Amino acid sequence: MPAEPSSVNLEEWFDRLEDSGYRLTKPLRVVAEVMAKNSYCTLSPTEVYDLGREHYPKLGLVTVYRTLEKLEEVGVIQRVHQAGGCNSYIAAPSGHQHLLICRNCGRVEYFQGIDLTDLVSRVEAKSYYSIQDHWLQLIGLYKSCQ
Amino acid sequence: MPAEPSSVNLEEWFDRLEDSGYRLTKPLRVVAEVMAKNSYCTLSPTEVYDLGREHYPKLGLVTVYRTLEKLEEVGVIQRVHQAGGCNSYIAAPSGHQHLLICRNCGRVEYFQGIDLTDLVSRVEAKSYYSIQDHWLQLIGLYKSCQ
DNA sequence: CGTACAATGAAAACGATTTTCAGTTTCTGT
DNA sequence: ACAGAAACTGAAAATCGTTTTCATTGTACG
Ligand SMILES: [Mn+2]
Ligand SMILES: [Mn+2]
Ligand SMILES: [Zn+2]
Ligand SMILES: [Zn+2]
């Protein structure tokens, strides 16, 4: 059921960005590439900046922020919330999946097979809310960190 | 199943703080009181500061930060993560419960009756992680916000 | 090509949080 | 009740991550 983060199709990312009217610039390509190549772990804007400059030293931190925003907007990456902070991102899986994060090394897996729709609508029926979304994350220790 | 946030026993909070070696000062009491009296909604440090100064004008913002840290450490409040930001807190319910938050007005309910232990251990069995914790939050619209 | 405009990077501004520090308050032991 | 030690406080300053501004550059499109 748990799966390695599906390897990313960078061309598809670029298509989505173009479809949303964004231009495919060098800095954008570099940032996207960094996120795509590190789809198994979370990265903060600064970490993306450092990795990006290895390939493209001119890259500016401001552009990293702006590009992460775009990538999140078109849905190819997502923000990850952790006890230590909520400013890192990871490649989003296709479809709706949940995160399993290692508290120690930050390694990430996605898992499927937990379907909450029944449980959620049961709660909805008994509350005064219309539930639009849910957010489930598992936290633990990866094999080599136990 | 959904329930009004259980009304808070402030004395119990103070006991817990004392047990952890913290001193019961005036500013701490004021901050705790603000969190206890607003157990149905989330508050940012600045909001706590403003509410606190209504009762105790000398209160400093730095002390609010320090006190929220203590309250979280002893487990009587918890940080709430939302799309708009992750810097607000709310009184924690007794025992393990999950949050149901209104996207519009910020109103909060807790709900019980969703037991994930089975689902979670099923995922654990098929992953390389030992799962220590989970984090489930429902997001929607409260009655009067729909 | 040439033009229109989105996107860039550097610097400055900004807001939230943390650190520093000198003075105050709380608790403990007498 | 009292003295002393240590925790705690508020104001100011420092710091950190993020956003805004702006002059310049690069991309898409005809
Ligand atoms: Mn789900
Ligand atoms: Mn649970
Ligand atoms: Zn968060
Ligand atoms: Zn509402």
Side-chain angles (χ1 to χ4, degrees):
Chain A
M1 202 180 317
E4 284 298 312
S6 49
S7 60
V8 167
N9 184 349
L10 204 46
E11 286 312 315
E12 200 192 298
W13 286 22
F14 291 153
D15 287 346
R16 287 223 227 170
L17 289 160
E18 280 190 313
D19 290 350
S20 295
Y22 295 120
R23 293 186 178 174
L24 261 42
T25 67
K26 187 71 203 291
L28 180 142
R29 286 170 198 274
V30 169
V31 169
E33 211 166 311
V34 167
M35 293 309 295
K37 281 194 180 155
N38 292 277
S39 58
Y40 55 87
C41 71
T42 67
L43 294 174
S44 68
T46 315
E47 289 168 333
V48 174
Y49 177 55
D50 291 337
L51 290 169
R53 277 195 302 178
E54 291 178 7
H55 296 286
Y56 182 63
K58 251 188 67 193
L59 181 64
L61 179 56
V62 181
T63 302
V64 171
Y65 276 95
R66 289 189 279 228
T67 307
L68 290 175
E69 204 177 314
K70 290 170 191 170
L71 293 173
E72 186 180 27
E73 202 223 77
V74 303
V76 299
I77 68 170
Q78 66 182 153
R79 185 184 287 263
V80 177
H81 297 259
Q82 290 176 272
C86 306
N87 61 332
S88 56
Y89 294 85
I90 190 169
S94 54
H96 177 87
Q97 293 190 38
H98 300 137
L99 272 175
L100 171 49
I101 306 179
C102 176
R103 187 169 261 155
N104 180 244
C105 69
R107 192 185 179 82
V108 166
E109 272 184 24
Y110 288 96
F111 59 92
Q112 323 170 284
I114 289 198
D115 186 5
L116 294 175
T117 46
D118 281 358
L119 293 170
V120 166
S121 51
R122 208 181 308 156
V123 169
E124 185 173 43
K126 293 178 182 162
S127 76
Y128 295 109
Y129 289 71
S130 78
I131 298 175
Q132 302 177 328
D133 203 358
H134 69 258
W135 197 14
L136 172 62
Q137 213 168 274
L138 305 188
I139 299 107
L141 288 176
Y142 183 66
K143 208 177 182 177
S144 55
C145 293
Q146 289 171 21
Chain B
M1 202 178 318
E4 284 297 313
S6 50
S7 60
V8 167
N9 184 349
L10 204 47
E11 286 311 316
E12 201 192 297
W13 287 21
F14 292 153
D15 287 347
R16 287 223 228 170
L17 288 160
E18 280 190 314
D19 290 351
S20 295
Y22 293 121
R23 293 187 176 173
L24 261 44
T25 66
K26 187 72 202 288
L28 179 143
R29 284 171 200 273
V30 170
V31 169
E33 211 165 311
V34 166
M35 293 308 296
K37 280 191 181 158
N38 292 277
S39 58
Y40 56 87
C41 70
T42 66
L43 295 174
S44 67
T46 315
E47 290 169 333
V48 174
Y49 177 56
D50 291 336
L51 289 169
R53 277 195 302 178
E54 291 178 7
H55 296 287
Y56 182 65
K58 251 187 66 193
L59 182 65
L61 179 57
V62 182
T63 302
V64 171
Y65 276 95
R66 290 190 279 227
T67 306
L68 290 174
E69 205 177 314
K70 290 171 190 170
L71 292 173
E72 188 182 25
E73 202 224 76
V74 304
V76 298
I77 68 171
Q78 64 183 152
R79 185 183 286 262
V80 178
H81 298 260
Q82 290 176 273
C86 306
N87 60 334
S88 56
Y89 294 84
I90 190 170
S94 54
H96 177 86
Q97 293 190 40
H98 301 137
L99 273 175
L100 171 49
I101 306 179
C102 176
R103 188 169 258 157
N104 181 244
C105 70
R107 192 183 179 82
V108 166
E109 270 184 27
Y110 287 96
F111 60 91
Q112 320 170 288
I114 289 197
D115 186 4
L116 295 175
T117 46
D118 280 359
L119 293 170
V120 166
S121 49
R122 208 180 309 153
V123 170
E124 185 174 42
K126 292 176 183 163
S127 77
Y128 294 108
Y129 288 71
S130 77
I131 298 176
Q132 302 176 330
D133 204 358
H134 68 257
W135 196 17
L136 171 63
Q137 212 169 275
L138 305 187
I139 299 106
L141 288 176
Y142 183 65
K143 207 175 182 178
S144 55
C145 294
Q146 288 172 21

